[in-house]
């Protein structure tokens, strides 16, 4: 295990650095939907070509998470985080000097690689500084809450820059500057020391080996289903809402903003919810509500979907950080980075493949709503999985088993 003897002030400092780290990379990843129309106009791209602005980063995060997630275990959280942030900052600054679509794609791959490096180490770090599984889950929800704030700030900043006649590329310059600030703060902050007993021969195969563990596969699959359901909102919901002909056109126009705001607010409220009920019950309630939102949108049509799909953001807020927390906590501390890398792999692959499948299904059947039917099915399976989790409670059994190993 890691040496976790940090003062409360040092723990808070490390937590805040992690919060801001997630906010910064959310500013870039979740602003892509606003950037793509500008890229299409500038380079005369097709929709399929422009979509690589989303897929390139996600695929790079997936590969980096699964192949480089072990770095946080082998070289320590602090060094790995600083290295990942340095690559992120360098790639972000280079956007200011680029002018070709291919060059921008290379930078997005570099940014995705950087995110995969520092995010897996940061997720493992949360486990290092959490005294109990309950604290770990609550902290993870706070981390994702700041991610939600970044998802609001990024697109808003792009819109502001474009309104002022400034290139969207300066979003990345701003993010790079914030990353440099974090590097400075992280370098002077005290992190939990690396365990002396950690096997330094650990490598990228460690994350793949965890895929054979039923526990890792259970939570990773749940996360993949959730990500498909969430990505449907910010990738395809605006396109579907172009068909809206009801009495609230303003709501249809700003539905995505409403979704992001509710998702961010919900992640802070999730901490209160977890104080009122068990995380297992909270997951059943939230996934059930999401399934109802999707089912209602499909059955009742787009005029109701403009209310139901944005509202689903409030219920989505608790799911990803909670599954992430329980998935990582089910392993010994020296395996946390590898577990985080596996989960990040499932996250990024689902984020890339899910929207693509929706488009293929929509084209095949002649309407985008059939893509949302696919996502409703994913939401239903996730709901059933959470009911199973509530009944069987595999995380409790797993954590007890791990505790007995060290007792």
């Amino acid at each position: 295990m890691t040496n976790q003897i940090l003062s409360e002030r040092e723990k808070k400092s490390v937590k805040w650095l992690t919060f801001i780290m997630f906010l910064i990379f959310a500013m870039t990843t979740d602003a892509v939907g606003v950037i793509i129309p500008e890229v299409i106009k500038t380079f005369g791209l097709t929709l399929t070509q422009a979509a690589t602005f989303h897929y390139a980063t996600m695929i790079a995060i997936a590969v980096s998470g699964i192949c480089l997630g072990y770095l946080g275990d082998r070289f320590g959280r602090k060094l790995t985080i600083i290295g990942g942030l340095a690559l992120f900052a360098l790639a972000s600054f280079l956007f200011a000097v680029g002018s070709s679509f291919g060059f921008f794609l290379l930078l997005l791959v570099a940014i995705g690689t950087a995110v995969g490096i520092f995010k897996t180490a940061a997720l493992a770090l949360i486990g290092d500084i959490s005294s109990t599984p309950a604290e770990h889950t609550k902290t993870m929800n706070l981390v994702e809450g700041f991610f939600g704030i970044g998802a609001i700030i990024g697109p808003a900043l792009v819109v502001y820059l474009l309104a002022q006649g400034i290139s969207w590329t300066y979003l990345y310059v701003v993010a790079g500057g914030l990353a440099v600030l974090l590097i400075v703060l992280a370098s002077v902050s005290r992190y939990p020391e690396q365990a002396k007993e950690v096997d330094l021969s650990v490598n990228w195969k460690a994350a793949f080996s965890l895929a054979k563990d039923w526990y890792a596969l259970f939570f990773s699959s749940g996360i993949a289903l959730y990500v498909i359901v969430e990505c449907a909102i910010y990738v395809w919901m605006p396109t579907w809402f172009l068909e809206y002909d009801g009495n609230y056109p303003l709501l249809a126009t700003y539905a995505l903003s409403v979704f992001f705001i509710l998702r961010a607010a919900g992640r802070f409220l999730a901490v209160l919810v977890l104080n009122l009920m068990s995380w297992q019950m909270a997951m059943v309630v939230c996934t059930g509500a999401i399934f109802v939102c999707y089912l209602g949108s499909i059955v009742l049509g787009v005029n109701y979907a403009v209310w139901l799909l944005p509202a689903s953001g409030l219920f989505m807020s608790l799911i990803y950080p909670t599954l992430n927390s329980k998935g990582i906590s089910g392993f010994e501390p020296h395996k946390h980075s590898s577990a985080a890398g596996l989960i990040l792999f499932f996250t990024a692959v689902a984020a890339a493949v899910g929207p693509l499948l929706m488009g293929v299904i929509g084209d095949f059947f002649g309407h985008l709503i059939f893509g949302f039917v696919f996502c409703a099915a994913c939401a239903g399976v996730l709901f059933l999985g959470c009911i199973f989790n509530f009944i069987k409670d595999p995380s409790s059994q797993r954590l007890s088993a791990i505790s007995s190993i060290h007792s």
Side-chain angles (χ1 to χ4, degrees):
M1 295 179 66
T2 53
N3 181 358
Q4 299 182 26
I5 305 177
L6 296 181
S7 68
E8 287 303 313
R9 181 177 179 180
E10 289 170 331
K11 282 186 178 181
K12 287 181 180 179
S13 174
V14 169
K15 283 183 180 180
W16 274 101
L17 288 173
T18 306
F19 294 157
I20 303 304
M21 191 189 314
F22 274 64
L23 183 149
I24 291 172
F25 87 78
M27 287 173 57
T28 59
T29 56
D30 283 29
V32 170
V34 185
I35 293 172
I36 284 177
E38 295 300 314
V39 174
I40 291 174
K41 287 191 298 183
T42 302
F43 298 105
L45 304 176
T46 65
L47 291 175
T48 302
Q49 291 170 332
T52 55
F53 246 62
H54 171 69
Y55 301 136
T57 305
M58 293 299 107
I59 292 174
I61 291 175
V63 174
S64 177
I66 197 72
C67 294
L68 301 177
Y70 74 92
L71 294 178
D73 290 330
R74 183 170 185 179
F75 298 109
R77 319 304 191 207
K78 181 174 181 176
L79 183 61
T80 303
I81 287 172
I82 291 176
L85 286 173
L87 177 59
F88 180 91
L90 176 62
S92 296
F93 287 139
L94 287 176
F95 268 90
V97 300
S99 59
S100 70
F101 181 67
F103 182 69
F104 289 147
L105 280 183
L106 287 176
L107 294 182
L108 288 174
V109 170
I111 285 177
T113 302
V115 170
I117 292 171
F118 71 68
K119 184 178 180 182
T120 50
L123 291 174
L125 174 64
I126 293 171
D128 296 342
I129 61 177
S130 298
S131 302
T132 65
E135 181 187 350
H136 187 280
T137 301
K138 292 174 184 177
T139 303
M140 196 72 80
N141 273 279
L142 284 173
V143 166
E144 292 296 335
F146 279 87
F147 181 92
I149 293 175
I152 297 170
I153 294 174
L157 180 56
V158 172
V159 171
Y160 175 78
L161 290 172
L162 295 175
Q164 301 300 313
I166 302 173
S167 172
W168 55 267
T169 57
Y170 283 92
L171 164 71
Y172 292 91
V173 175
V174 172
L178 292 174
V180 170
L181 178 60
L182 275 186
I183 291 171
V184 173
L185 294 175
S187 64
V188 297
S189 297
R190 184 177 175 227
Y191 281 63
E193 296 176 8
Q194 185 177 355
K196 293 181 180 180
E197 69 269 23
V198 170
D199 181 6
L200 293 182
S201 66
V202 66
N203 54 39
W204 60 271
K205 296 180 182 178
F208 280 108
S209 66
L210 292 184
K212 301 176 184 177
D213 189 303
W214 70 266
Y215 183 90
L217 195 59
F218 177 72
F219 281 94
S220 296
S221 298
I223 283 177
L225 288 169
Y226 165 75
V227 169
I228 290 172
V229 173
E230 183 194 57
C231 285
I233 302 293
Y234 66 80
V235 175
W236 289 116
M237 183 179 71
T239 302
W240 187 23
F241 285 3
L242 292 175
E243 301 176 5
Y244 178 77
D245 61 355
N247 297 323
Y248 304 96
L250 202 62
L251 176 60
T253 301
Y254 291 100
L256 187 57
S257 297
V258 173
F259 170 80
F260 279 137
I261 291 170
L262 289 177
R263 191 185 66 173
R267 278 179 173 159
F268 290 104
L269 291 173
V271 179
L272 299 177
V273 172
L274 291 172
N275 287 329
L276 298 175
M277 67 177 72
S278 69
W279 74 270
Q280 296 93 334
M281 175 57 72
M283 290 288 290
V284 171
V285 171
C286 289
T287 55
I290 293 168
F291 179 59
V292 169
C293 287
Y294 264 87
L295 194 61
S297 297
I298 293 166
V299 173
L300 300 175
V302 68
N303 287 347
Y304 288 88
V306 295
W307 296 91
L308 291 171
L309 289 184
S312 70
L314 189 62
F315 305 109
M316 288 187 184
S317 53
L318 178 142
I319 297 172
Y320 183 80
T322 302
L323 286 176
N324 221 334
S325 171
K326 298 308 177 184
I328 294 172
S329 298
F331 294 93
E332 296 170 284
H334 69 272
K335 294 182 179 179
H336 281 182
S337 280
S338 295
L342 179 67
I343 290 173
L344 186 57
F345 175 80
F346 274 81
T347 298
V349 169
V353 174
L356 177 61
L357 283 177
M358 285 186 68
V360 171
I361 292 170
D363 286 338
F364 183 81
F365 288 101
H367 197 283
L368 185 57
I369 193 172
F370 291 100
F372 281 92
V373 171
F374 161 71
C375 286
C378 291
V381 174
L382 180 61
F383 178 44
L384 292 176
C386 288
I387 293 176
F388 171 84
N389 178 70
F390 176 73
I391 296 172
K392 295 296 185 179
D393 195 11
S395 66
S396 176
Q397 299 168 21
R398 181 62 169 256
L399 290 172
S400 297
I402 289 180
S403 297
S404 65
I405 293 175
H406 295 284
S407 61

